[in-house]
Amino acid sequence: MKILYFAWLRTKIGIPSETVELPSGVTDVGGLVDWLKTRSPRHAEALANSKVVKVAVNQEHVPYDHPVAATDEVALFPPVTGG
Amino acid sequence: MTVKVQREDFDVGAELAAMTAGRTSIGGVTLFVGLVRDMAGGEAVSAMTLEHYPGMTEKQLEAIEAEARGRWPLDDVLIIHRHGRLEPGDQIVLVATASAHRQAAFDGCHFLIDWLKTKAPFWKLEATPAGERWVEAKESDDEAASRWARDA
């Protein structure tokens, strides 16, 4: 599974993307974010406040109860500030 | 019917001319141009860098445009959004809507910029005398977008 990070999530975690093997038992976005927090202290700190961690699955905005599958592209980012 | 995500600047007059050339059914065009301000939160801003999510950005802008076209009788829609490093006074975004009548052009344009601000995956990094900082999303932007929400 490809995970992408943007804006301060990218700088806090220190990498723009990583490829991970989806652990069995992780079935939705909320579970994935919780599991990502265990990957390093930087992940844990960056992902601590789920209110400011938005998620897109396959380039669509989704809520935390949205399902995830091994072939998905998942992006994590702060609330958007374009325009 | 056009979405462009680019580093380069754009020429509003040339875009307007291209949109309306030979299309005499168009009765009016509304244009919104967003610019980089030199102040934010009481601090001077010397530059701004816009990061985005290539692929998703275009997809989201196209979806927003399709939504606008479903709501109003628009003859044409143009969205240009820049990314990369910009300075105060630089143009960031252009939203243009053309219609037979002004109400659809005004409402469609207003809707597009409000929705774009809450859905298109762009993030602004400001350079200030105190250092660089990521711009935080504003509740007022969510409120502006929610005005356009409607029951399915």
Side-chain angles (χ1 to χ4, degrees):
Chain A
M1 169 180 277
K2 186 154 191 202
I3 312 283
L4 304 169
Y5 303 108
F6 290 96
W8 55 257
L9 277 168
R10 172 177 55 75
T11 54
K12 278 191 178 178
I13 293 171
I15 48 173
S17 68
E18 58 186 325
T19 301
V20 301
E21 193 139 330
L22 189 64
S24 61
V26 172
T27 58
D28 65 9
V29 165
L32 177 65
V33 173
D34 283 341
W35 175 72
L36 287 170
K37 284 179 197 167
T38 67
R39 287 178 64 78
S40 79
R42 296 182 77 148
H43 285 75
E45 200 233 315
L47 301 171
N49 180 3
S50 63
K51 272 190 184 168
V52 290
V53 177
K54 304 295 181 184
V55 179
V57 171
N58 300 326
Q59 307 188 346
E60 299 285 353
H61 294 284
V62 295
Y64 272 42
D65 60 2
H66 186 86
V68 288
T71 54
D72 287 339
E73 175 179 295
V74 179
L76 284 74
F77 45 77
V80 302
T81 57
Chain B
M1 275 179 282
T2 309
V3 165
K4 297 184 209 170
V5 180
Q6 61 188 45
R7 279 187 185 277
E8 301 74 34
D9 197 12
F10 48 83
D11 179 334
V12 176
E15 297 295 345
L16 172 62
M19 185 179 236
T20 56
R23 301 177 70 181
T24 47
S25 64
I26 293 172
V29 177
T30 300
L31 298 160
F32 174 83
V33 181
L35 305 170
V36 180
R37 268 196 321 268
D38 63 358
M39 290 287 285
E43 273 198 275
V45 173
S46 57
M48 175 181 282
T49 303
L50 273 133
E51 177 173 333
H52 78 116
Y53 179 177
M56 181 170 172
T57 308
E58 291 83 355
K59 201 169 167 179
Q60 289 296 316
L61 292 176
E62 283 161 12
I64 292 164
E65 191 209 313
E67 178 71 26
R69 295 173 73 88
R71 293 191 187 200
W72 292 279
L74 300 171
D75 288 286
D76 206 356
V77 175
L78 171 65
I79 303 172
I80 304 178
H81 204 304
R82 296 178 69 192
H83 61 92
R85 188 179 182 279
L86 302 172
E87 293 181 351
D90 284 350
Q91 302 182 132
I92 305 173
V93 62
L94 169 66
V95 178
T97 49
S99 185
H101 302 288
R102 69 182 181 283
Q103 197 64 46
F106 272 120
D107 289 352
C109 186
H110 197 173
F111 164 83
L112 281 164
I113 189 66
D114 282 352
W115 264 39
L116 180 159
K117 275 179 133 7
T118 60
K119 297 201 186 293
F122 287 97
W123 301 275
K124 289 174 179 152
L125 178 67
E126 287 174 342
T128 74
E132 292 190 325
R133 64 173 183 208
W134 290 97
V135 174
E136 283 186 32
K138 293 191 194 80
E139 262 179 45
S140 58
D141 286 340
D142 285 336
E143 285 160 15
S146 70
R147 282 191 295 130
W148 300 99
R150 62 178 188 188
D151 299 329

